[in-house]
Amino acid sequence: MNTLQNPRSKSDTRRVLIIGGGFAGLNAALELGGIAGVEVTLVDRHNYHLFQPLLYQVAMAGLSPADIATPIRSLLSAYRNTSVLLGEAESIDLPGQKVKFDFGELEFDYLVLACGATHSYFGHNEWEKYAPGLKTISQATEIRKRVLSAFEHAERVTDPDEQKKYLTYVIVGGGPTGVELAGAIGEMSRFTLSRDFRRINPSHTRVILVEAGPRILPMFSEQQSNRAARDLEKLGVQIWTSSVVTNINDEGVELGDERIRAATVLWAAGVEASELGQAGGMHVDNRGRVLVEPDLSLEGYPNVFVAGDQASYTHQTGSPLPGTAPVALQQGRFIGKTIRNEVKGKPRSKFHFRDKGQMATIGRSRAIVEMGRLKLAGFFAWVVWLVVHVFYLTGFKNRVLVVMQWAWSYLSFRRGARLIVDRGWSPAEEQEPVTETENEEVTVPPEH
Ligand SMILES: Cc1cc2nc3c(=O)[nH]c(=O)nc-3n(C[C@H](O)[C@H](O)[C@H](O)COP(=O)(O)OP(=O)(O)OC[C@H]3O[C@@H](n4cnc5c(N)ncnc54)[C@H](O)[C@@H]3O)c2cc1C
């Protein structure tokens, strides 16, 4: 096996290996950028950092992939002590202090695991092909294709039952992502597409949001959750609570004896942490998240840290912190600072998450926001949501582009990225998905 060395590595420097360039990994790397005595190598299976909170906008044709993705290499290019590699981590040898990648092995003095999460179909992986989840750019463009193609098929068919099937969209899972998807399809069918078809009336589209629990958005107060439900219903979304999906196939969704015939089913129900922790023999919780110590390190391995969606940190509230961007970002920064301090001989401290609140958007101009005791809903909440998301979006160019696209969509009710893009052409049988973006640095290799 090929063991690679950082080209600038010196014997007295500490080698920090970061796996994952999401919110956690990227922020750990930024904290260590330019620090003397530290050599950082960040490896990600994609060459870009993805701003997942706006991924639903790509799936719903509001934004293009490059608006929410930035090449990791460019984000870290200012730091001479930092290298970026494209690759997939396959296994970890904790005692031997090395990680096996698809391109070779890398040794480390410190390891930061920040591989995020993936979807969980609760033991029914066979549902995935009928009901894609939303976690990557490839999945977002696939969802966009399915959602837009269903309208096109409905316009073509003459059988009313088939037409109804194409115009029925089921979203499974009433958390923030499910709510965002349902609201966006409702809005698209009622407003954006209302004048574009001749044989169908897009406003007759059925959008059904299925939730197993008694209410949508259970992480919000009941009052806010009810407000979100009312706003969704105004966009034509039907909300089915206390409804458990028992099967999904090419005919639609089954909920016990109930069947919904639908051509498009989207999955926003469950997540599970990256398999890398489980494969590495680490202690994990029931969602595959690695159990970490108060300083985010692994029990018995103080030089190995786990952060973000991949970590289960229970030392603050007794239960794991939520899988959100602020948790990942703050944990990444904390780990970067911990390593920085340790190199300078300073002691470690305990991680503490500063919760600044939560928000979810519903359609083009409504949202709910909870910040401590402050609860906002409707248009003003949506403005707050917009400002926060643009503020945290990575890259100045992306911020400008997103604001311009939103302003245009808001004023015109249009969606700029309403393109049905097939998989890229390739002479081989195996085809790779591509984006139609203007940013040639962002490429999308096949999902793993
Ligand atoms: C659709 C959607 C909407 C969301 N909306 C919100 C929101 O509104 N607000 C909010 O706070 N949070 C939201 N989240 C959650 C938030 O995005 C995550 O909590 C956050 O991205 C976690 O950051 P992370 O760094 O742990 O993981 P990620 O951001 O997922 O990054 C993990 C990185 O690891 C890489 N990777 C994974 N496995 C490997 C491997 N084996 N080898 C190499 N690289 C690997 C991946 O390519 C990726 O770049 C949303 C998530 C989704 C999917």
Side-chain angles (χ1 to χ4, degrees):
M1 178 59 66
N2 177 20
T3 303
L4 301 172
Q5 288 299 332
N6 188 314
R8 287 185 286 273
S9 201
K10 291 191 212 118
S11 57
D12 57 342
T13 56
R14 310 284 177 89
R15 295 159 303 173
V16 181
L17 177 58
I18 301 175
I19 310 178
F23 287 98
L26 179 67
N27 280 284
L30 288 169
E31 283 297 331
L32 292 166
I35 300 297
V38 177
E39 292 288 353
V40 181
T41 305
L42 187 152
V43 188
D44 198 296
R45 58 160 68 128
H46 297 128
N47 76 331
Y48 51 84
H49 166 79
L50 179 63
F51 192 81
Q52 289 175 9
L54 289 181
L55 199 53
Y56 86 97
Q57 288 269 349
V58 174
M60 294 294 118
L63 295 172
S64 288
D67 297 336
I68 61 160
T70 314
I72 298 171
R73 195 171 289 291
S74 72
L75 291 169
L76 295 172
S77 62
Y79 304 112
R80 302 290 301 158
N81 70 335
T82 306
S83 304
V84 178
L85 294 174
L86 181 69
E88 169 97 17
E90 291 174 344
S91 61
I92 303 170
D93 174 359
L94 290 176
Q97 301 202 165
K98 53 191 174 194
V99 178
K100 184 169 164 251
F101 293 90
D102 52 2
F103 55 79
E105 269 180 1
L106 284 176
E107 294 174 344
F108 62 82
D109 297 312
Y110 287 101
L111 175 66
V112 182
L113 271 181
C115 295
T118 179
H119 291 104
S120 164
Y121 286 82
F122 309 120
H124 289 282
N125 289 347
E126 72 276 11
W127 294 350
E128 186 172 13
K129 68 176 171 191
Y130 306 113
L134 182 61
K135 197 78 193 155
T136 63
I137 287 183
S138 303
Q139 288 163 339
T141 49
E142 173 65 21
I143 289 175
R144 182 176 69 184
K145 187 174 97 182
R146 290 190 190 200
V147 168
L148 296 176
S149 298
F151 285 109
E152 299 297 335
H153 287 304
E155 176 84 343
R156 268 187 346 210
V157 296
T158 47
D159 177 358
D161 282 343
E162 281 301 288
Q163 210 167 56
K164 192 171 169 196
K165 181 180 165 188
Y166 282 120
L167 288 180
T168 301
Y169 294 80
V170 179
I171 296 98
V172 184
T177 301
V179 165
E180 284 164 356
L181 289 171
I185 299 175
E187 180 217 301
M188 199 191 303
S189 59
R190 260 81 192 156
F191 302 105
T192 314
L193 302 178
S194 60
R195 289 183 299 150
D196 291 6
F197 291 86
R198 299 295 168 262
R199 295 184 176 84
I200 57 163
N201 182 347
S203 61
H204 292 163
T205 302
R206 285 172 87 203
V207 186
I208 302 171
L209 179 62
V210 176
E211 165 58 39
R215 63 183 174 93
I216 60 166
L217 299 172
M219 61 293 286
F220 286 83
S221 67
E222 194 161 353
Q223 176 200 353
Q224 292 288 76
S225 155
N226 291 340
R227 170 66 194 256
R230 285 200 302 277
D231 284 345
L232 278 175
E233 278 157 5
K234 282 184 198 151
L235 292 170
V237 177
Q238 299 172 24
I239 300 169
W240 294 21
T241 49
S242 307
S243 303
V244 178
V245 170
T246 50
N247 194 19
I248 305 177
N249 55 31
D250 57 1
E251 276 300 296
V253 175
E254 292 172 17
L255 308 123
D257 296 338
E258 192 96 47
R259 274 161 205 237
I260 312 172
R261 278 194 89 220
T264 314
V265 183
L266 307 178
W267 186 260
V271 287
E272 197 174 56
S274 156
E275 281 178 0
L276 205 56
Q278 300 163 59
M282 301 167 198
H283 295 301
V284 295
D285 68 7
N286 60 354
R287 290 218 218 144
R289 290 172 293 197
V290 178
L291 305 174
V292 290
E293 299 284 290
D295 61 359
L296 296 171
S297 69
L298 265 188
E299 189 187 357
Y301 293 96
N303 62 331
V304 177
F305 297 92
V306 190
D309 284 3
Q310 203 180 355
S312 174
Y313 185 81
T314 54
H315 306 282
Q316 191 165 331
T317 61
S319 7
L321 292 175
T324 63
V327 171
L329 185 149
Q330 289 181 31
Q331 290 187 338
R333 281 185 187 158
F334 176 87
I335 291 170
K337 281 184 190 147
T338 300
I339 297 173
R340 211 169 69 186
N341 287 341
E342 204 153 86
V343 168
K344 291 179 188 159
K346 293 185 189 162
R348 291 190 178 191
S349 56
K350 177 183 170 184
F351 173 74
H352 184 85
F353 173 58
R354 287 182 308 282
D355 190 356
K356 293 177 188 158
Q358 51 182 351
M359 47 189 75
T361 176
I362 305 128
R364 67 190 277 275
S365 58
R366 294 190 182 102
I368 54 171
V369 172
E370 281 183 3
M371 291 173 176
R373 286 210 207 125
L374 181 70
K375 291 187 175 56
L376 303 171
F379 180 73
F380 186 60
W382 178 76
V383 174
V384 173
W385 174 90
L386 187 143
V387 170
V388 168
H389 281 73
V390 169
F391 178 78
Y392 279 105
L393 186 62
T394 316
F396 175 76
K397 186 205 80 178
N398 288 354
R399 287 189 195 131
V400 174
L401 285 175
V402 165
V403 168
M404 279 166 54
Q405 299 219 32
W406 277 347
W408 183 78
S409 305
Y410 184 78
L411 295 171
S412 67
F413 278 92
R414 310 308 279 176
R415 281 174 180 266
R418 257 171 51 199
L419 310 178
I420 298 173
V421 184
D422 269 321
R423 292 179 159 233
W425 181 85
S426 154
E429 290 239 314
E430 181 109 345
Q431 293 186 336
E432 290 190 4
V434 294
T435 72
E436 78 293 3
T437 70
E438 63 284 5
N439 186 344
E440 77 285 356
E441 281 184 286
V442 177
T443 56
V444 185
E447 295 308 330
H448 300 278

